[in-house]
Every structure is written in C-alpha cells, then in structure tokens.
Amino acid sequence: RHDRYIERRRLCFVGSTWIFGDRGRLVVDNSDDDLSLRFNRRLVDKTDEAQSPSLDVSIVSVNGVQVSDTTLADLLVPGDVQVPRSLVGGGDTPDEAGPQGYAASVFTPEPREPEAPSDVSAAAYDEAALVSWAAPYDNNSAITGYTATASTGETCTTSGVTECLVTGLDDDDPVTFTVVATNAIGDSPTSAPSTEVTPDGSTLSAPDTPAPPQIEQAFEAALRVSWTAPDTGGAPIESYTVTAAPGGATCSVDMTVVPAPDLVCDITGLNPAFTPGYEMSVVATNAVGDSAPSGFGPVTPAVGDVHSSLPPPVEPGLSGAPPLIDFQLAGAGSAVVDIPGYVSTPQGGFRSDNPNAEDVTVGGGVLAADFDVVDSRGTAGTPGSVDIGLINKELLRRYLLVSRIDGNIERSQAVVQVNEVGSYAVNSWVVQSDDS
C-alpha cells in the first residue's frame, strides 16, 4: 500500500473536443464541495482539412436521428428544429458518423416517448396498495397518463397525477409495482420495481365530508363556487362534484390531471329568477367511494352580469429531456467553470443555474443550442448575465443571401457570429424559395 505517498495534483490535458452522443451529458454541481472545472482550448493546424472543423470547439453533440445502429438521418421537427446528421472528418469527403460508432444524442427537441418514471413506492392496505412515483422527463411531448402494474397483474391508471390505488390484491401476498408513462408519441420504458409490500388489512376510506362551498361570484344565470379539500381518507381524491339546489345542476373538477386544478367550478344554466335563492353542496370522490355531501353554503345575491367563463388554465412551462450541458451552481460550494472554446449542441440544451454568481465563462461562445440562464451577475441594463464569448450585439447579425437557380429566387437567412479571431461561425441557416 502506498496511500501515504499519494498527493493531490493538478492534471493538465492538451485541449480536445468533447463529443456527446446517446445519453452523454455534462453536469457540474457544487452542492457538496468547492469545484474548479477548466477546459483547455482545442488547437489544431488550420491547414489540416480533417481537423480544421473542430478548431476551437470544446463540446459538440452528435446530431441526427438514430435510424439503425449504424445509420443517422437528419433531425427534422416541422416548425421547430432542423438539425443535419453529424459527419466525421473534414475535407471534401467527410465520413458518415453512424458507421464510425457515433450514436445520436437523445437530449433533443424531437418529441419522443417519455423517460421511465422513477422512485416507485407503495403503501399497503386491505387488498390494495397506494402506489406513487416521480414524474419522468416527458421528452417534449406532455405526459397524458400513467399505468401502475402489480407484479400479480392488477393495474390502476391516472391522467397525469403521480399516484393511484391498485385494488384487488390478496392480503398477506407480497407484491411489487412498476409504472409506465404515456404521451402522444407512445409509452415509456417500464420503471424499476418498487420495494416489496404486503397488503395487511389496513383500511382506507372515502374522503371526509367537505366544508360547505363558498360562492365566489354570482351572475345572471350562473354561480362560481369554491371549496377546500377535506381529508382524503388515505386514497387520493380523484374528483369533486358540486350540486345546486333546487334543480340539481352540477359542475365537477377532475383532480387526476396535471397541473392540479383549483378547487373552483362554474354551475351554469340556472334560472335567473331563482339565482339569489340557490344553495350549493360539494362531494369528494376517491377510489373507495364518495364522501357525504357537504352542508349548503351561503348564497350571494346575483348581480345580473352576463356570465364570464373561468380564466384560461396556465400553460405549463417547457419541459423535456434535461440539457446536455447543465451547470447546477446553487449549492454552498464555490465554483469556477471555464470553457474557452465553442459549445455547439443543437441536439441538447445549455443551462446555467448560477444564483450565487460563481465564475462561469464560455469563452468561445454557444452555437446552435437552447439557452437557459439564471445568474445573479448583473450587467448594464440587464438583470442577469453569463459570460458567453463575444456578446457584443454588433457582432451578431442576420444576413439575407439571394441567389438565382433556374430562374427561381431562393432566399436564405443566416445568424452569423464573429468569433475571437475574426472568422465567421454560422449558427443557423434557413432557406426559403419563392414557390415554397
């Protein structure tokens, strides 16, 4: 053993281009300790045609769609993104990347099946188990539902919430559970199984009786009603139903969707002559059954206004696969991240979460990537910044190029960045012909 002779050394490597394919990604995290991550600039002989495309490039994604083990095709998501498949080498005849063993990155804006759910757990009850899990990345197509399956075959489904009750189990028989997520593209891989549980006769119940609902607004022929959630009885509440008396008109709220809706609904089609006299009662429902109806809430006199609908639901933020490059610097440790060359990841986003103003620079710049920054370092006129190459607006221009082919005019618009040595880097290029 020579442990006593080991000492910490600073390692230095000649600069290279890091190539990320398949599920490869760079995550920098300062939650546990101080860190220093510094790349060396990739330097090559500009006269070497096979190497010159990677001059000053520090990180690049392998782009395209994986058609087979050895074949890549261009990534085309109409109206969203177009990314050409990656080639290897330079000169006049670069090689296809697929036969050389390069796999396209899966961290892409192309809508795909969700990732597998994780952290599946279960709580055992009488001939049932309440299964819960962590939502996976939806891969740019919203998750529409989940299916939880017992190792003995029983299932339960949801429209988006991450727990459901599996019934029909045998008490005293051990069982595990897996979960599959579904979006418009298809089903995710199956999750890892939960730990084993044994239904043991513990009882679940219908929800407790809710408190009487409140009338938020009264209209000429409608009432907007709100209420508070009661105790669930152990199984998640799946829906609420509000009933008006007299007449029995109802409205309901589905609690299995994501994001969770507010406990508000509108009862419409009421008789304006009796609107001041209506009373409201609410019932909560879970997998066991219905709660007892609440008492009736107070009545607010109608104001005679025309009924307006509820505000539109808040659209969820963009979601999908995690970024290919992810600086997670909200921890207590100090951090220095220095990437002197260009980062080109059109098939994978770039995110820098740096609320503590750690030292983060990408000297060459970021080319062709979704870019998401949270940073407390302010620059003139902006609330936050990150040092990304040359950020002078005068050096980022759009060019309109016009050419004639067989009498037809083709127009192309390019976003062009001037790099540190005065040469040009084309970030994106959109071509449109007159007859398209």
Side-chain angles (χ1 to χ4, degrees), residues 1-5:
R1 294 177 57 85
H2 303 284
D3 292 4
R4 69 184 64 183
Y5 301 111

Side-chain angles (χ1 to χ4, degrees), residues 48 50 146 151 161 211 255 273 279 310 347 378 391 420 427:
D48 185 343
Y146 296 95
S151 54
V161 295
M255 299 304 296
E279 296 180 306
L310 287 171
Q347 207 147 320
I391 58 176
E420 296 176 34
N427 296 356

Side-chain angles (χ1 to χ4, degrees), residues 206-210 230-231 237 239-240 282-286 288-294:
D208 285 356
T209 304
D231 186 88
I237 292 175
S239 66
Y240 292 94
V282 62
V283 170
T285 302
N286 66 10
V288 178
D290 295 338
S291 72
S294 72

Side-chain angles (χ1 to χ4, degrees), residues 206-242:
D208 285 356
T209 304
Q214 302 293 311
I215 296 177
E216 298 292 331
Q217 287 180 275
F219 302 94
E220 184 178 10
L223 293 170
R224 181 165 298 167
V225 185
S226 68
W227 60 94
T228 57
D231 186 88
T232 66
I237 292 175
E238 298 174 349
S239 66
Y240 292 94
T241 301
V242 180

